[in-house]
Amino acid sequence: MIICTRILQYGLKFAIITVEIKTGDKIMAEVGFTIQNNVLKKYKGNAVNLEIPEGVETIGQDAFWGCKQIKRVKLPITVKVIAQEAFRHCEQLEEINIPEGVTTIGIMAFAFCYKLKDVHLPDSVVSIGEQAFAVCQSFEKITVPEKVKNLPAYCFDGCNSLEEINLPKGLKSIGESAFLECRLQHIEIPEKVTAIGENTFYGCEQLTSVTLPEGLTTIGESAFEACKSLADIKLPQALTKLGDRVFDRCEALKSISLPASLTKLGCGVFGNCGSLESLTIADGNTRFNYADGLILSADGTTVEACMPYKKGVCEIPKGVKNIAWYAFEDCEQITDLIMPETVTNIGVFAFDGCKKLANVKLSSKIKKLNCNVFSGCKSLQYIELPEKLTTIGTSAFEQCGLKEITIPETVKTLKGYAFDQCRMNKVTIYSNVKLNMRSLGRATFELYAKNTTFDKICKGYQLCAILGYAEMYYAGEELQAEITEGYKKFIAENADKVTASMLKKPAVADFVLSLQCLNESETASIVQKIKKLDNAELNAVLAKHKL
């Protein structure tokens, strides 16, 4: 047995490490080290400045996780591997030397080391794990070693001080969210990279320019979303795919040219690009055409996307059959929409957030309105639904400015929240469709549902149905006795709920008194209350019933 004591000096602070070497290749340190087979398994000391003993080859998984007091660490030249989460949440760690010879930095090895900055990665590093340096908020610059071929997902995610990074020439791939919300101003992607993953540069608000390699074929979903300073980007000639929302909220982007090679255009690629003034498609592209602010399929049957600079009246070209998902999302300058009779399908969220859209002419051939198709169209006060319509999807008109709506007899399905948060005054339903909770919003309105049996009206709309049914009766419309019985039963069982409406609306008073579903004392009470109001219309109702 050998006992060895070393005193390490860092300015005015000291860490005294006493290690006791025993048989079985097991080393226990009095200050908190657990080392076995050259692997530092755990540290439980409280030193601020720390030197790892010579001979350690691997910093083990979770070895220093949560050691929040440590500020400086010196690793011996024997270290080859820094394992998964080795220094995770060392929140005061400012400095660490990573010696030449280290080949692997594991998953989340330095994640949430908020004060760690300017780490030098030696040329020996071959592999870096996912989230290895995630949320290292003091990082300002870093050079990735030449031997690293794959930059993993979330590697520098949340490094919101990282302004400069040098990537190796031999790098082949960049994982999703690798630089999410960094402060990079410029990035040059190496020539061998063929794909940029989802959310790679999401939220890099200082990023002004990007150099893409000529061999790049794919840019993943939201790769440059919310890069608010990105004013210019040249897409390479080999590019075949732009994922969903790639340039969404790139507020400084002024122009873009799509290469001839492009075959896949995701949803909402140019959404909320308020400065975008022009888009061109290279000659020879066999997949897309461009006309008057619209990207169309080459055969002219699908509207793939509408540019945010499209204003005023939008007349969809004849021959279009399909409007793609999110095609017009957040096109806030469009006021009128004219749709040809050739259109048979409108994708989900197709016109979501078109805040100035006030007039819509739908194709009569549309049978289904998908979810959120017109949600957020706050200027849309009226729309005529097609006579062949069978389905209105979830939140189809949520948060619209609709004042009234007529649902045709052909509609068999009305999904929940279809008209939620629409402050409508009148709803007319000609079909016997089941009303789900909040499918028509929360406001109290007159529900004209003469063909809907009362059992298909959910509790939240029963009073609305009474108001509408009473108005139809008052106007002399012919009503079905079977359906009227359902209303009669509800009124008899909920006299207190209906009484308040009788005092405000002559039609309700007339309807309820005609049904004779209240008992004598209830009838006498409401008659007395009506007389006290001295309202001419209500008094006329009483006279009609000789009360």
Side-chain angles (χ1 to χ4, degrees):
M1 179 176 69
I2 301 174
I3 296 184
C4 174
T5 301
R6 299 169 61 192
I7 301 178
L8 309 177
Q9 182 174 352
Y10 294 86
L12 298 176
K13 295 190 176 181
F14 297 85
I16 301 176
I17 300 177
T18 303
V19 296
E20 183 177 319
I21 304 174
K22 295 184 178 181
T23 58
D25 201 22
K26 184 176 182 180
I27 303 176
M28 295 295 294
E30 291 180 6
V31 292
F33 287 119
T34 300
I35 302 172
Q36 186 175 9
N37 297 327
N38 299 322
V39 177
L40 197 161
K41 296 280 190 179
K42 198 68 181 175
Y43 176 71
K44 294 184 178 179
N46 56 10
V48 173
N49 304 304
L50 199 60
E51 181 174 345
I52 308 302
E54 296 287 341
V56 171
E57 296 180 358
T58 298
I59 308 298
Q61 181 174 341
D62 307 334
F64 293 90
W65 185 351
C67 292
K68 297 182 179 181
Q69 81 286 352
I70 296 176
K71 290 188 175 181
R72 298 173 186 85
V73 174
K74 183 177 180 181
L75 300 179
I77 59 173
T78 52
V79 172
K80 307 297 181 188
V81 175
I82 300 174
Q84 178 174 332
E85 300 173 301
F87 292 93
R88 179 177 177 179
H89 275 292
C90 290
E91 296 175 7
Q92 300 300 316
L93 181 62
E94 298 174 1
E95 297 177 19
I96 185 169
N97 71 305
I98 300 179
E100 187 68 39
V102 171
T103 61
T104 302
I105 298 175
I107 296 171
M108 300 186 79
F110 294 96
F112 304 101
C113 293
Y114 301 130
K115 296 187 177 182
L116 185 63
K117 62 181 180 179
D118 300 339
V119 170
H120 171 72
L121 300 180
D123 293 338
S124 56
V125 172
V126 175
S127 174
I128 300 176
E130 291 186 6
Q131 297 180 273
F133 298 97
V135 203
C136 288
Q137 296 178 345
S138 298
F139 262 29
E140 295 179 356
K141 59 182 178 179
I142 195 165
T143 297
V144 180
E146 285 296 326
K147 292 180 181 179
V148 175
K149 304 301 180 186
N150 303 296
L151 199 65
Y154 301 92
C155 188
F156 298 100
D157 168 23
C159 295
N160 54 21
S161 296
L162 183 62
E163 296 181 348
E164 180 183 339
I165 188 165
N166 296 307
L167 300 176
K169 293 181 179 179
L171 192 69
K172 294 181 178 180
S173 68
I174 300 177
E176 66 177 286
S177 305
F179 300 100
L180 188 139
E181 295 182 348
C182 291
R183 286 183 61 84
L184 297 171
Q185 297 178 25
H186 173 75
I187 187 75
E188 183 172 350
I189 309 297
E191 285 298 320
K192 292 185 179 180
V193 173
T194 59
I196 295 176
E198 298 178 5
N199 301 296
T200 299
F201 298 98
Y202 182 103
C204 292
E205 296 185 357
Q206 311 302 316
L207 189 65
T208 59
S209 62
V210 178
T211 302
L212 301 176
E214 285 302 317
L216 188 72
T217 62
T218 301
I219 301 179
E221 179 178 338
S222 299
F224 294 97
E225 182 174 346
C227 292
K228 295 182 178 181
S229 302
L230 184 62
D232 181 61
I233 187 168
K234 182 182 178 182
L235 301 180
Q237 293 304 309
L239 189 70
T240 60
K241 178 182 177 181
L242 283 174
D244 296 346
R245 303 184 181 280
V246 168
F247 298 108
D248 185 27
R249 292 186 289 157
C250 289
E251 297 172 0
L253 190 64
K254 292 184 177 181
S255 64
I256 193 93
S257 179
L258 304 182
S261 55
L262 191 70
T263 58
K264 172 66 176 177
L265 185 69
C267 302
V269 171
F270 303 106
N272 298 287
C273 292
S275 298
L276 193 63
E277 298 172 350
S278 67
L279 178 139
T280 58
I281 300 177
D283 293 340
N285 188 298
T286 59
R287 176 64 179 83
F288 302 108
N289 282 328
Y290 176 78
D292 192 24
L294 301 178
I295 299 177
L296 306 170
S297 59
D299 62 4
T301 61
T302 299
V303 177
E304 303 283 355
C306 176
M307 294 299 97
Y309 51 79
K310 179 77 172 171
K311 297 180 180 180
V313 179
C314 178
E315 186 168 357
I316 296 172
K318 293 179 180 179
V320 169
K321 297 179 180 179
N322 177 57
I323 297 174
W325 288 21
Y326 299 88
F328 290 81
E329 184 187 29
D330 295 321
C331 289
E332 297 183 356
Q333 302 304 313
I334 293 176
T335 58
D336 297 75
L337 176 69
I338 301 173
M339 195 176 295
E341 285 298 294
T342 52
V343 174
T344 58
N345 179 63
I346 305 176
V348 301
F349 287 89
F351 296 93
D352 174 57
C354 294
K355 295 179 181 179
K356 292 184 179 180
L357 184 60
N359 301 296
V360 174
K361 181 184 180 297
L362 293 174
S363 165
S364 64
K365 295 182 180 179
I366 292 172
K367 294 183 178 181
K368 181 179 181 180
L369 290 174
N370 286 301
C371 68
N372 295 91
V373 65
F374 288 102
S375 55
C377 295
K378 295 184 178 181
S379 298
L380 187 63
Q381 295 188 13
Y382 175 78
I383 187 170
E384 184 176 347
L385 300 180
E387 292 182 358
K388 295 181 180 180
L389 190 68
T390 62
T391 301
I392 301 176
T394 303
S395 301
F397 294 92
E398 185 174 349
Q399 292 187 341
C400 281
L402 292 171
K403 298 300 181 184
E404 62 178 85
I405 192 73
T406 298
I407 298 173
E409 188 175 359
T410 51
V411 172
K412 305 300 180 187
T413 302
L414 182 62
K415 295 286 189 178
Y417 302 91
F419 295 90
D420 192 35
Q421 299 185 55
C422 295
R423 297 293 179 179
M424 295 184 289
N425 299 318
K426 180 180 179 181
V427 176
T428 302
I429 300 177
Y430 286 109
S431 63
N432 188 22
V433 64
K434 183 177 181 180
L435 298 181
N436 296 299
M437 191 57 149
R438 289 180 65 174
S439 57
L440 299 174
R442 286 181 171 177
T444 300
F445 51 85
E446 294 175 0
L447 174 57
Y448 292 74
K450 65 185 295 182
N451 297 319
T452 304
T453 53
F454 205 78
D455 61 303
K456 288 193 174 182
I457 300 173
C458 65
K459 187 176 180 180
Y461 299 126
Q462 288 173 344
L463 184 56
C464 296
I466 294 290
L467 298 179
Y469 207 79
E471 289 290 348
M472 288 186 283
Y473 177 85
Y474 198 55
E477 289 193 35
E478 186 176 342
L479 303 175
Q480 300 178 50
E482 180 183 349
I483 293 178
T484 304
E485 280 299 314
Y487 285 84
K488 185 176 180 179
K489 181 180 179 182
F490 174 82
I491 293 170
E493 295 174 353
N494 300 272
D496 56 331
K497 293 182 180 180
V498 179
T499 298
S501 296
M502 293 176 69
L503 297 174
K504 296 177 181 178
K505 292 184 174 292
V508 177
D510 183 40
F511 178 58
V512 173
L513 293 173
S514 297
L515 293 180
Q516 296 182 349
C517 53
L518 301 180
N519 60 41
E520 288 185 11
S521 62
E522 290 170 338
T523 301
S525 175
I526 192 62
V527 168
Q528 187 176 12
K529 290 177 181 179
I530 289 175
K531 287 181 177 180
K532 286 182 179 180
L533 292 174
D534 195 23
N535 179 282
E537 289 186 90
L538 288 172
N539 287 338
V541 170
L542 294 182
K544 176 183 175 181
H545 294 277
K546 299 179 180 180
L547 295 171

